[in-house]
Structures are given as C-alpha cells and as structure tokens.
Amino acid sequence: MDLEALKKSSALHPKPPGLALQYGTAGFRARAQQLDHIMFRMGLLAVLRSRAVASTIGIMVTASHNPEEDNGVKLVDPLGEMLHPSWEEYATQLANAEDEELQSVITEICQKAAVNQHKDASVFIGRDTRPSSEELSQSVVDGVSVLGGQYHDYGLVTTPQLHYLVCCQNTQGQYGKATLEGYYEKLSKAFTELMKQAPSSGEHQRHLKVDCANGIGALKLSEMEPYFPKEVLIHLYNDGTKEKLNHLCGADFVKVNQKAPRGLDLKPNERCCSFDGDADRIVYYYEDTSGHFHLIDGDKIATLMSIFLKDLLAKVGQSSALAVVQTAYANGSSTRYLQETLKVPVHCVKTGVKHLHHKAQEFDVGVYFEANGHGTVLFSKAAETKIRQLAKEEKDAEKREAAKVLGNMIDLINQTVGDAVSDMLVIEAILALKGLSVQQWDAIYTDLPNRLLKVQVADRRAIGTADAERRAVSPAGLQERIDALVRQQRLARAFVRPSGTEDVVRVYAEADTQEAADALAHEVALAVYHLAGGKGAPPQP
C-alpha cells in the first residue's frame, strides 16, 4: 500500500466532520453532496474485498427509488449477490473513519479478513442516471486506483445488469457473457422461444405500457427493443427526457399511493407496469371500465410465477421442488392462496431482500418477492441440471416440452437479484402462454384490505421482535395488547417492527374490510405510542 498516494488521494475526498452513515440492506444512501468520501472509500473496500475472495466485485452508484437529489452506493459480491454481512460492518467502519485513521482501518480490515495486499483486484463499476452519479463514480475509480485495483467502468446500467455482469465474470461465462449485449441476447432469446409457444402467437400484438420512473430503465429498455419479437410492443413513459427521477412516478410511488404515475394515461383494462429508479423493482396495474385502479404487487407476481412453475414442474415429475418465501408484509390472501389452493409451502422471513434470497437458496426452486415488487426465482444447480437434461434426452414429448419451457424460464430469470426488465418479460411470457388477461391474473385472489402506519418514538430499539418480525417481544405487554385487538376483527392480522433507518415504528394491519383494517392499525399505533415511548402528538385516526 502506497501510504503517500493514499494520503494525497484521500485529501481530495475529505470526510465532512461529524457525518456518520451506516451500510444497510440498500448500501449507503444520503444527499449526493455528502457522499464523495463514501464513494472513494467504497472503491478502497471493493479492492480489499476482491483480494479477499480472489474475484471481481461490483460497485453500483444509485439510490434506487429515493429522490433525485439523493445518491448511494452498493457493493456486489462475486456471484451477483449482496455484500456479505461481515463486510457490511467493514464498510461502515471505513466510511466513518476520520481521514487520519484511514490507513490503520484498512490495515485492521486486512488483518481481520485475511486480505493479501499483493493479489490482483478487479472491480466492475456501474451508475444510474442521477445528475450526481457520474462525478461520484469517478470518486469510486479514484479509490480503486489508489490501491492498485483494475476496474471496468460500464457507465450507465441498471442495478440488476451490474449484478448479472459480475456473476458472468466470476463464473467464467457459465452464467452468460459479461457484456450488456450478452445480457440482451440471453434474455431476448429465451423470451422469443417462450413466445413461440404462446397459443395466439403471431395473430395479434401484445401492448404494454411501461413507466420507467424517469430513470435508467428507459435507456436500457430502448437499447433492448431491437432484440424483442415483433409481437410485443412496449411503450415507454417517463423516460427521463422531461421530468425528474422518481418524481410522482415509479414502482414505489404507485405502490404507496395506489394510483397511476404522472405522465401515463390509463385506458380501461390496459396492462401497465412501473419500474423503480434503478430498475430492480416492478409492479403491474390497470384501470377497470368503471375507472377503479387495481394494483398488482409483488405478492401477486410471486403467485403468478408459482402457478406457472408448479404446473411445469409437475409435468416433469418435480412437483415437490417449489417453495415461496415472503415477509410479514405479504398480504394474508396471497399466503392463504399459495398454501391452501396451490398447496405450495410458504416460508416467512425478516424484511429485507438478503433474508428472502438466502432462504430461497434452500429449495430446488425458490420464488421470492417483497410486496414492493422486488424479487426473483432461484433454481438449485441440481434442479437446473435435471431440467436441462430432460429437455435434451426425455423421450416423452409432453415432458420434454415442459422441460424446454422451464429451461427458457431459467435463462429469462435474472437469478442474481430482482430485475424489473427480466421480471417483466417473465410475466409477459406467462400471461401469453396461459392466455390470461391482466384482469384474470388480478382475480386469482382478492387482497385483504390493509393499512400501513408509522409511529414516531424516542428510540426504535424499544421494540424487539421474533418469529420473522411477526411478534413483538418488547416492550412488555405490547404483543398481548395487539393480540387482543386482532381478536376483535375478522380475518385480522397485525404486527409492528422498528424501522431500519429512523426512529419510527412501522405498523401493519389487515382485516376483512378497509374500515376494520384502518381501525385496527390506529389502535395498534396507539398501543405502540403508549407502551414504546411515542414522541410528539399521539396518532390520530
């Protein structure tokens, strides 16, 4: 390590006094002007991580669905997964070190993580379309370079594309070619093969309106358009040419506000979907003939994929292979449908993509989605090998065809992370193959009315949870109070959990009517306020 060079370079990216940030599930997020030193230091950390695991590491400059003024950074581990939890701690430690402590913290991390400073290091860098992203990714480059790391700057990419590129690189091309063309070709080839099997193939064009949140999704979808079969017409809205990123549009806006984004005109019964700012989340929606808005969120996406996969897996004699992973926020109707009607095992884990991904890896075929539209499907090596073998060698025609469709699904799904582009193509293929309209998909089950609330508290650590955040273990008496309130309503459920980022407690309630769900959420919020140190005025109904 060239200490003089490190000192000089670090002085160009000074840490603002008194600023402390935490690396969480979404990496670092803050106002863009607070992040220069963070980017430089994450460049340093990526080099250390690359040397520790002898693989290429990714760095994505994005703040996803946050406002345009914010930015952030996430590291991507060798197989395209999220950064290992022990390294999240190193990231926080390195980010918050004073300038003069930088060298000693690097040395400490190298000792703890057995990093050989003389090994080669390789880092892939990507960024979203925020005005601040280009300059901030240059700070990443400075960090990588000063520790002697090699880098490839892919420039403007979606977050899932960077995850894909890192995985391709570290599997020596087994997962695909580590180029954007490789990504477009792999996905479009699988999608085209699937669309050939669709009953009405070639007869009519399938139209889909896509709200791109004024973000990177628009750029990449238009690059990909020449690869699509001509039966599919994708119309892009909020493409970033006129409005601000994520402003009154995008998957998060649509999910939270239960209404269409600005800049997209809804016609009755038209299929529409929204990406978020870095294109790793997707939700669908439509307006019925009476002007009523219908949201199709991550729970319903997971259900559609599960129905389709279960049917195919049964045809190839692997019907027990499938499981679904949800969080406590999944609508009770979706859980009931999956377990009771579809007879698929459902597992509940703590909120956060990394928990879902980790659990889904335990199954031959693991489907996971958060209600916000972030999710994917994971196939075990054994399941994939078996499916590919059946597609080649199976004598029984029906079984062989089902295996071929599954093989194309495996290629179309981005298994590294939730990917709005990939998920959109998977959904479009399933709807075409099953001959389902968006209304028929929506009607698979009816969501229970629900309500989300936030309660300000003095210290969020007052709330302790267990059973995948479905039960409160502290403060004393809170869970008993919630249980008593839930018993007063039909089909009711409620839970509370501390926010990961601010001193608020999140309350979720569902029941058989919207009035009952609202009343239950309010009563639970009051219980939190009184028992867990509420701040300010008590929650109002």
Side-chain angles (χ1 to χ4, degrees), residues 388-432:
R388 303 243 191 240
Q389 190 187 352
L390 288 171
K392 277 202 192 87
E393 298 163 15
E394 176 56 48
K395 302 280 183 284
D396 177 64
E398 194 195 12
K399 215 172 172 181
R400 188 175 62 245
E401 284 313 306
K404 275 187 187 163
V405 172
L406 277 169
N408 283 314
M409 272 287 156
I410 293 172
D411 287 336
L412 186 53
I413 291 163
N414 185 346
Q415 293 185 58
T416 65
V417 69
D419 180 339
V421 174
S422 157
D423 288 336
M424 174 189 86
L425 296 175
V426 170
I427 291 162
E428 289 302 304
I430 294 174
L431 294 176

Side-chain angles (χ1 to χ4, degrees), residues 516-528:
D518 289 348
L520 177 58
H522 175 63
E523 290 293 337
V524 171
L526 279 176
V528 169

Side-chain angles (χ1 to χ4, degrees), residues 194 301-324 338 342 344 364-369 376-379 387 402-403 405-413 415 426 430 433-434:
L194 288 165
I301 294 172
T303 304
L304 179 73
M305 291 185 184
S306 301
I307 291 169
F308 185 72
L309 290 169
K310 172 134 203 232
D311 182 34
L312 287 170
L313 288 162
K315 283 180 184 160
V316 298
Q318 303 279 310
S319 50
S320 62
L322 183 70
V324 177
L338 287 163
L342 206 54
V344 167
D364 275 332
V365 183
V367 178
Y368 76 82
F369 269 84
T376 187
V377 184
L378 305 183
F379 293 84
I387 288 162
V405 172
L406 277 169
N408 283 314
M409 272 287 156
I410 293 172
D411 287 336
L412 186 53
I413 291 163
Q415 293 185 58
V426 170
I430 294 174
L433 286 162
K434 284 205 156 292

Side-chain angles (χ1 to χ4, degrees), residues 287-497:
E287 201 176 74
D288 62 27
T289 43
S290 59
H292 184 66
F293 180 83
H294 295 254
L295 174 74
I296 300 179
D297 65 5
D299 297 337
K300 239 172 210 166
I301 294 172
T303 304
L304 179 73
M305 291 185 184
S306 301
I307 291 169
F308 185 72
L309 290 169
K310 172 134 203 232
D311 182 34
L312 287 170
L313 288 162
K315 283 180 184 160
V316 298
Q318 303 279 310
S319 50
S320 62
L322 183 70
V324 177
V325 187
Q326 296 182 325
T327 70
Y329 286 112
N331 195 279
S333 291
S334 74
T335 313
R336 206 166 285 128
Y337 177 85
L338 287 163
Q339 286 176 326
E340 293 168 17
T341 308
L342 206 54
K343 305 267 187 283
V344 167
V346 178
H347 301 265
C348 186
V349 296
K350 277 167 67 172
T351 304
V353 180
K354 59 184 174 189
H355 303 298
L356 290 140
H357 192 91
H358 189 70
K359 186 71 183 173
Q361 288 173 321
E362 293 176 20
F363 310 102
D364 275 332
V365 183
V367 178
Y368 76 82
F369 269 84
E370 289 189 297
N372 65 25
H374 187 289
T376 187
V377 184
L378 305 183
F379 293 84
S380 71
K381 262 285 152 259
E384 183 179 336
T385 307
K386 180 106 174 88
I387 288 162
R388 303 243 191 240
Q389 190 187 352
L390 288 171
K392 277 202 192 87
E393 298 163 15
E394 176 56 48
K395 302 280 183 284
D396 177 64
E398 194 195 12
K399 215 172 172 181
R400 188 175 62 245
E401 284 313 306
K404 275 187 187 163
V405 172
L406 277 169
N408 283 314
M409 272 287 156
I410 293 172
D411 287 336
L412 186 53
I413 291 163
N414 185 346
Q415 293 185 58
T416 65
V417 69
D419 180 339
V421 174
S422 157
D423 288 336
M424 174 189 86
L425 296 175
V426 170
I427 291 162
E428 289 302 304
I430 294 174
L431 294 176
L433 286 162
K434 284 205 156 292
L436 286 175
S437 68
V438 68
Q439 300 83 338
Q440 288 168 313
W441 173 18
D442 187 33
I444 290 171
Y445 63 80
T446 305
D447 274 328
L448 281 170
N450 55 81
R451 177 65 65 211
L452 272 164
L453 294 176
K454 287 199 287 199
V455 184
Q456 285 220 301
V457 290
D459 183 357
R460 64 181 184 267
R461 289 170 299 188
I463 300 271
T465 64
D467 186 25
E469 301 177 314
R470 290 177 288 189
R471 316 253 332 142
V473 290
S474 64
L478 178 59
Q479 188 56 53
E480 290 71 16
R481 179 79 186 117
I482 294 172
D483 290 341
L485 291 166
V486 165
R487 280 195 294 272
Q488 294 169 16
Q489 309 285 3
R490 283 192 65 244
L491 295 175
R493 183 171 76 91
F495 68 90
V496 300
R497 56 179 285 271

Side-chain angles (χ1 to χ4, degrees), residues 258-272:
Q258 305 269 331
K259 65 177 186 188
R262 198 160 93 178
L264 187 148
D265 53 322
L266 277 188
K267 302 246 176 11
N269 294 335
E270 272 187 338
R271 257 191 346 280
C272 305

